Amino acid sequence: MTGQRIPNPDLAVGAGNKQRWNQPEFRRHGFHNVYRLFRRAYMVRARAQSMLKPDECRALAALPEVATLTTRPEFSALVCAQGDKVVMSRYAADFAPDQPHSMQSVSKLMIHLIAGRMIAEGLLDPAKPVEAYIPDIGTGYRGARVQDVLDMNLINDFSEDYADPHASCYTEEIALGWRLPPEGAPETGMGEFVRSVGGDDLTNHASAINYCSANTDLLTLICDHLRPGGLPAEIDAIAEAAGIAGALHISLSPDGLPAFSGGGCMTATDLARFGLLLARIAGPAPCPGWNQTFTQAVLTREAKTLSSPRDRVRYANQMMTNGRWIGHAGYGGQFLMVDTVTGLSCAYFSVLENEAGYCDDYMAETIACLEAVLTEYARQD
């Protein structure tokens, strides 16, 4: 005789159409522990870690913008590194330096690297339509160029309004392994979910991008199609190149695909290490094994911007930029910003505990504060 069973309480959907770990009252615990709360996940450690020595820059520590970032109630961690040095590190009282944190959409930078490698190898042509790689793709992507998917420059029926509890992005979470489906329903795989996205006129007529995490899921399907079963090896290559000291965790869909749209988790120092890898790839010195041209092009592309109040920031190839720094934001209050001139990498973790888990003004302030850190370090350098 078996005992009573109940749906996993961390993953079961409750109020506001959110699973427990993303409920406002549990979100901070969730973002600090989600690497072990996902339905399933892939984890890798580097064979050799990149050694970083503490060498605090007092000028950075004295910045009022650093005080803003680190005294917010949402704050988890801020780590800034350059070369082989950690020039500043700060942690909240409830967050340890060796603790992984949800990166959310900062994870999209991994698909930037993977797609870039496949372009360099001649496997992927951004000018081709999506159906050249996924013949049975649905109307939400049929006819769109891969480049428009990379640039978030198309319109379909997928909605990513975090304030709307019934937005498509929450249904997507079943396919990312973040929540359970309705009781008795099967778990939707990433392939099934992306193919189900509908649409009509896919042209984005606006001056701003249409941010859509399903685009990253589609790129994941394409890259898996081009190198079947090869995505774990791509993650391994990123962890090795960055010299991850702890572990890189990423959630898996029911069909075994990594959730590059938002499933990554690392420590703050390891995220800074990942940023240092991006700095090397974006820099002038050769960085074998990576598509430097693809990354460097982001800085000068005439790409569309984010929506106001972040419309100073352009978006291209699954990456954000102001023309000097590169990086990405993440739901809940995350940001990785890398100065391509000085090589300074700043990793910021925080957890918004409002109902939506997101705030445009909060993220605009985060960008401005991190830009001030980059500017001051360049002045000192």
Side-chain angles (χ1 to χ4, degrees), residues 20-81:
R20 185 168 73 175
W21 69 259
N22 196 27
Q23 294 284 346
E25 64 269 34
F26 295 108
R27 189 176 295 130
R28 190 164 180 87
H29 175 271
F31 274 51
H32 289 183
N33 293 276
V34 74
Y35 69 96
R36 61 184 183 86
L37 301 179
F38 288 138
R39 180 86 163 90
R40 55 187 69 78
Y42 181 77
M43 185 276 285
V44 62
R45 303 193 71 193
R47 289 168 59 94
Q49 71 183 61
S50 174
M51 297 300 294
L52 297 175
K53 58 190 177 188
D55 186 9
E56 177 147 322
C57 176
R58 293 182 181 179
L60 295 187
L63 285 173
E65 290 85 358
V66 168
T68 296
L69 291 170
T70 59
T71 59
R72 291 163 154 177
E74 297 87 358
F75 171 67
S76 293
L78 171 64
V79 175
C80 298

Side-chain angles (χ1 to χ4, degrees), residues 347-358:
Y348 185 71
F349 285 148
S350 65
V351 187
L352 280 157
E353 296 178 282
N354 58 348
E355 187 63 37
Y358 188 80

Side-chain angles (χ1 to χ4, degrees), residues 102-290:
S102 176
M103 295 159 51
Q104 292 292 313
S105 285
V106 179
S107 310
K108 290 178 169 69
L109 293 169
M110 287 191 275
I111 205 70
H112 166 89
L113 294 179
I114 294 167
R117 278 158 65 98
M118 292 190 178
I119 290 168
E121 294 167 15
L123 293 175
L124 178 60
D125 182 352
K128 286 188 175 181
V130 168
E131 59 267 28
Y133 301 102
I134 310 292
D136 60 343
I137 196 64
T139 58
Y141 288 106
R142 181 166 294 277
R145 297 182 311 148
V146 172
Q147 187 63 64
D148 288 327
V149 180
L150 285 162
D151 292 345
M152 301 281 186
N153 190 31
L154 58 89
I155 302 291
N156 56 30
D157 294 343
F158 183 90
S159 58
E160 194 147 348
D161 179 359
Y162 303 117
D164 176 4
H166 301 292
S168 310
C169 57
Y170 294 117
T171 304
E172 176 197 24
E173 291 183 354
I174 300 170
L176 302 183
W178 296 6
R179 61 162 67 196
L180 298 177
E183 190 169 357
E187 290 181 288
T188 305
M190 189 181 295
E192 180 184 353
F193 176 80
V194 174
R195 289 175 172 88
S196 74
V197 175
D200 186 10
D201 178 7
L202 306 185
T203 305
N204 179 17
H205 297 284
S207 60
I209 64 166
N210 179 45
Y211 191 81
C212 176
S213 286
N215 293 350
T216 311
D217 298 333
L218 173 57
L219 292 169
T220 302
L221 295 183
I222 291 172
C223 291
D224 181 68
H225 168 77
L226 293 172
R227 186 164 285 143
L231 292 179
E234 297 289 341
I235 298 171
D236 292 359
I238 290 170
E240 293 291 347
I244 298 298
L248 191 170
H249 306 259
I250 189 164
S251 67
L252 295 175
S253 69
D255 40 354
L257 295 173
F260 294 117
S261 55
C265 302
M266 296 187 210
T267 68
T269 304
D270 276 339
L271 183 56
R273 284 185 172 94
F274 176 63
L276 292 175
L277 170 62
L278 294 175
R280 294 194 296 273
I281 295 170
C287 193
W290 305 98

